[in-house]
Amino acid sequence: DGYGFFRMSAQSSARMPNLVQQFQDLNLGVYRQIGTGAASGAVERYNLPGNNYTLRSVQSYTNTLLTGVNDQSLLLPYDFTELKPERITSFEFGFRTVMKPGQTYVDLAYFYNYYERFIGLVPVLGPSDPSQPISVDDAFSFSSSTNYQVWANLPDRFSSFGLSIGAQIQLTDIWNLNGSFSYVEFSRDNSSQQIGGLVDLENAPRFKATGSLFGKHFYKKASLGITYRWVDTYFFAVPNFTATIPSYSVLDVALSYDLPNGVQLRVGGTNFLNNYHVELIYGPQIGATYFFQLTYDPNLFQKRSRKPRSN
């Protein structure tokens, strides 16, 4: 008494560098953040092409000095190129089965994303005086060198993949149960250990789960909806800031009652149990929001008052 079908899709799209990534030239105190758009000229303004060391390579060089080895070949400059659009290629495979038509279904999906020319920030050490070349000694001199973070297409290979499962079960003519679970993994292959780079907008929780119960007119004209959401601990990154978002769970509740003449009364709350949590880096703690809603729908009133035609 059921059926199922497979689905498969592939698509490719590009993300253009925004104005900040192309034209930014901002002194943030501990470093200067600049864009690498062809028209900005910021990289040339500070004499960085061929006149810099990646911060990752400086750290490696410093670590070898602590062991008594002076290997200056570890100091590598970053080869600046014009910022190009980031490209993503995505594949999805899924299977959906309907066990009881109109009542129960289960949906399984797997996706894989491959990124090319991923846009991020590359930390480099450049000269404080653009007219002077940088030297090995400048790597340890704050007066002769300046830290830069430069928007660039990172050479590393980035990919993400994930699994999801969703189900809907019609328990009775009144009660309906829904649930979903997802797993997402972000992967980075460091093809150049000495370049590094800060990933922009990496903020996907690895695990998420949702469950909801809905009953329409479970008691006379009253309907009830309950939704539980759980999000695993995850790493959140935006330009210049990174942090770990703690795991959190919230419960949403809504109770409605249909009154005569197309009037509906609705009360409830999001995060009903007032579980304070944060959902983005350095964002505010979010508590409960309770609501009371009275709605009048004249179209609903007309439908209820309309009498069936007699034959």
Side-chain angles (χ1 to χ4, degrees):
D1 294 332
Y3 61 91
F5 59 88
F6 291 92
R7 66 179 183 274
M8 180 177 63
S9 66
Q11 55 185 331
S12 181
S13 61
R15 180 171 73 124
M16 302 298 294
N18 58 40
L19 292 177
V20 171
Q21 295 164 348
Q22 295 184 72
F23 297 99
Q24 187 179 36
D25 187 353
L26 181 63
N27 188 352
L28 295 173
V30 294
Y31 55 82
R32 180 178 289 274
Q33 192 163 291
I34 61 176
T36 51
S40 69
V43 173
E44 291 76 12
R45 187 180 306 125
Y46 299 106
N47 192 21
L48 292 179
N51 193 29
N52 70 86
Y53 298 130
T54 67
L55 192 59
R56 181 72 63 84
S57 69
V58 172
Q59 293 170 345
S60 298
Y61 174 66
T62 304
N63 291 335
T64 60
L65 288 179
L66 296 177
T67 63
V69 178
N70 189 347
D71 186 3
Q72 297 185 11
S73 64
L74 293 175
L75 292 170
L76 300 177
Y78 182 73
D79 184 19
F80 291 96
T81 58
E82 179 185 347
L83 197 59
K84 298 179 180 179
E86 175 184 309
R87 178 170 293 277
I88 177 175
T89 302
S90 179
F91 302 92
E92 182 190 5
F93 306 90
F95 174 73
R96 181 169 181 172
T97 175
V98 178
M99 301 176 184
K100 295 181 179 181
Q103 294 186 354
T104 302
Y105 78 82
V106 177
D107 189 279
L108 302 173
Y110 169 82
F111 73 87
Y112 174 80
N113 298 325
Y114 169 68
Y115 301 88
E116 298 176 271
R117 302 190 298 264
F118 200 96
I119 298 175
L121 289 163
V122 176
V124 300
L125 200 68
S128 296
D129 184 357
S131 64
Q132 299 295 326
I134 194 170
S135 65
V136 175
D137 295 334
D138 292 335
F140 308 97
S141 174
F142 293 106
S143 61
S144 302
S145 63
T146 299
N147 287 322
Y148 293 87
Q149 283 193 356
V150 185
W151 289 103
N153 297 109
L154 303 182
D156 303 341
R157 295 171 59 92
F158 293 89
S159 62
S160 61
F161 64 91
L163 301 166
S164 67
I165 178 172
Q168 176 178 301
I169 303 174
Q170 189 72 36
L171 300 176
T172 66
D173 292 339
I174 296 176
W175 293 102
N176 184 54
L177 181 65
N178 296 277
S180 65
F181 177 82
S182 64
Y183 166 75
V184 177
E185 186 71 40
F186 187 81
S187 175
R188 177 180 185 177
D189 176 17
N190 290 308
S191 58
S192 179
Q193 296 287 345
Q194 300 294 16
I195 293 178
L198 304 177
V199 177
D200 181 23
L201 300 180
E202 177 187 347
N203 50 24
R206 181 173 294 182
F207 298 101
K208 290 195 303 183
T210 302
S212 62
L213 177 66
F214 180 74
K216 184 175 182 180
H217 296 164
F218 70 96
Y219 177 74
K220 296 184 179 180
K221 295 296 183 178
S223 300
L224 176 66
I226 301 175
T227 300
Y228 175 80
R229 295 178 285 123
W230 172 79
V231 177
D232 192 19
T233 301
Y234 63 100
F235 180 75
F236 197 108
V238 293
N240 310 316
F241 302 102
T242 60
T244 298
I245 305 298
S247 174
Y248 63 88
S249 59
V250 296
L251 184 69
D252 303 331
V253 179
L255 177 65
S256 63
Y257 191 86
D258 294 340
L259 298 172
N261 301 329
V263 178
Q264 184 186 70
L265 174 66
R266 192 165 182 261
V267 295
T270 58
N271 192 10
F272 192 79
L273 301 180
N274 200 27
N275 178 23
Y276 278 92
H277 63 283
V278 295
E279 297 184 3
L280 72 162
I281 182 172
Y282 302 126
Q285 289 207 356
I286 301 174
T289 301
Y290 303 105
F291 60 86
F292 171 86
Q293 178 179 319
L294 188 64
T295 304
Y296 170 67
D297 187 344
N299 294 324
L300 182 61
F301 170 72
Q302 292 176 5
K303 292 179 182 179
R304 288 177 176 175
S305 61
R306 185 180 301 154
K307 297 181 179 180
R309 294 180 180 179
S310 57
N311 295 328

